[in-house]
Amino acid sequence: MKNVALITGASSGIGLELAKIHGSQKNDLVLVARSTNKLLKLKNELESQYGIQVLNIPKDLSIPEAAQEVYEVVIEKGIEVEYLINNAGMGDFGLYHETSWEKEEMMINLNILALSQFTKLFGSDMVKRGHGKIMNISSTAAFQPGPLMAVYYASKHYVQAYSEALYEEWKEFGVSVTALCPGATATGFSEVADMEDSKLFKGKKLPSASEVAEYGHKAMMKGEMVAIHGAMNSIMAKSAKFAPKKMVLKMVRKIQEKDK
Ligand code: NAP
């Protein structure tokens, strides 16, 4: 396999669109997600359309050590990963004392633990080789706390700070780390997070997964540190730093509340 992109969460949404982009550029692919059938369909499509090789590794990345197991399969097959895209992620909506700890634990394991372990394993190999590109899917949620989605927003703060620190550490080794920050996007995310009725999503004309993927891909190829999708999102993210914290908290809560 050559010019390999490993993409987590490739069975739908932004990850699926990123897989199509890499496929169209004749990069071979390693695709990870839980939905075996969706991955198989995508593998067949991309292999016949672009003449590339696709290896599917179905895996629940919310299980600790899952990333290590994926890494072992990849190494055992002698595959060198040139592009690592940590895209798999999930959210959950609700007042913290009412939400499910089980779901939140999954979220922490997926959004933080698996992403960090993948980056440690594949990123360290890239550093040794002196080349490679990593893109971690963060969010505009990374720039302010998120009442009604406390754990999700905090998990994306982690992704953001972690990615920016590694950008600085690894640039001298020829490895770039890009944090892609989408705002609300039309994918399966809102359903999984139980927030289809949230004002952030309901009745809104949202950017498509393919628009966000295109934007993120360009940023990763340029080796940019942070890529916030959408002019308005970018302004909001920057202004959140300077606005009074209590006002920001109220605003975020209002924006996210469900339509009654
Ligand atoms: P999506 O359509 O729900 O896709 C999520 C992907 O992650 C799916 O392929 C899913 O595959 C995979 N995934 C979920 N749980 C998993 C697990 N336990 N193990 C392995 N894979 C798992 O949502 P999306 O919007 O494209 O999400 C992609 C990224 O964008 C996430 O990190 C999300 O936080 C971020 N983001 C999304 C939005 C938005 O509004 N959509 C905004 C900002 C940031 P399986 O179900 O097959 O496992």
Side-chain angles (χ1 to χ4, degrees):
M1 290 177 104
K2 57 176 185 2
N3 294 332
V4 176
L6 187 152
I7 304 173
T8 70
S11 64
S12 71
I14 299 167
L16 184 143
E17 296 301 329
L18 284 164
K20 288 185 186 167
I21 293 170
H22 280 274
S24 72
Q25 299 185 343
K26 307 280 181 200
N27 297 335
D28 289 328
L29 292 167
V30 178
L31 305 179
V32 188
R34 292 166 303 180
S35 307
T36 311
N37 290 344
K38 286 189 193 168
L39 286 183
L40 191 59
K41 185 167 170 273
L42 184 60
K43 171 184 160 78
N44 292 338
E45 266 172 34
L46 296 177
E47 283 184 339
S48 66
Q49 197 171 354
Y50 301 115
I52 58 165
Q53 287 184 55
V54 179
L55 170 68
N56 286 346
I57 309 182
K59 192 66 86 179
D60 184 344
L61 295 175
S62 70
I63 297 170
E65 298 311 315
Q68 175 74 38
E69 287 165 19
V70 171
Y71 178 74
E72 281 164 16
V73 173
V74 170
I75 295 303
E76 199 246 316
K77 291 189 179 295
I79 298 166
E80 213 170 76
V81 170
E82 182 63 17
Y83 306 103
L84 168 67
I85 299 170
N86 282 304
N87 163 78
M90 61 177 285
D92 192 26
F93 182 92
L95 291 165
Y96 190 61
H97 66 281
E98 292 174 359
T99 49
S100 131
W101 169 246
E102 215 173 57
K103 200 166 171 190
E104 273 146 2
E105 193 176 25
M106 274 178 76
M107 196 195 312
I108 292 167
N109 287 345
L110 180 65
N111 296 10
I112 297 179
L113 195 71
L115 175 142
S116 307
Q117 203 174 11
F118 273 126
T119 306
K120 181 85 167 179
L121 295 166
F122 290 106
S124 303
D125 290 348
M126 289 176 184
V127 166
K128 277 188 215 128
R129 288 198 296 267
H131 56 91
K133 293 193 178 302
I134 298 172
M135 181 157 73
N136 291 332
I137 314 305
S138 177
S139 168
T140 48
F143 302 104
Q144 66 285 306
L148 299 176
M149 288 188 91
V151 177
Y152 178 72
Y153 274 59
S155 77
K156 294 299 184 179
H157 277 63
Y158 174 93
V159 173
Q160 191 68 29
Y162 171 78
S163 305
E164 290 178 15
L166 294 184
Y167 168 90
E168 169 58 28
E169 281 191 27
W170 286 351
K171 64 178 197 259
E172 67 195 80
F173 297 103
V175 178
S176 62
V177 181
T178 301
L180 169 62
C181 307
T185 306
T187 69
F189 176 87
S190 55
E191 192 188 338
V192 174
D194 183 28
M195 59 185 306
E196 285 166 304
D197 290 335
S198 154
K199 288 181 203 135
L200 253 183
F201 288 90
K202 198 174 176 186
K204 291 270 158 46
K205 166 116 187 56
L206 299 174
S208 68
S210 67
E211 284 172 74
V212 173
E214 277 290 346
Y215 174 78
H217 180 69
K218 283 192 189 126
M220 180 186 77
M221 295 313 286
K222 283 195 232 155
E224 283 173 13
M225 180 176 76
V226 181
I228 303 173
H229 181 256
M232 203 55 200
N233 287 332
S234 185
I235 292 167
M236 297 282 278
K238 282 166 194 155
S239 53
K241 270 192 218 151
F242 303 105
K245 183 59 71 68
K246 286 182 183 168
M247 191 184 95
V248 172
L249 289 168
K250 267 203 187 106
M251 233 175 70
V252 176
R253 180 176 185 156
K254 241 194 157 31
I255 291 170
Q256 298 209 121
E257 271 168 356
K258 291 189 178 180
D259 253 346
K260 301 215 168 86

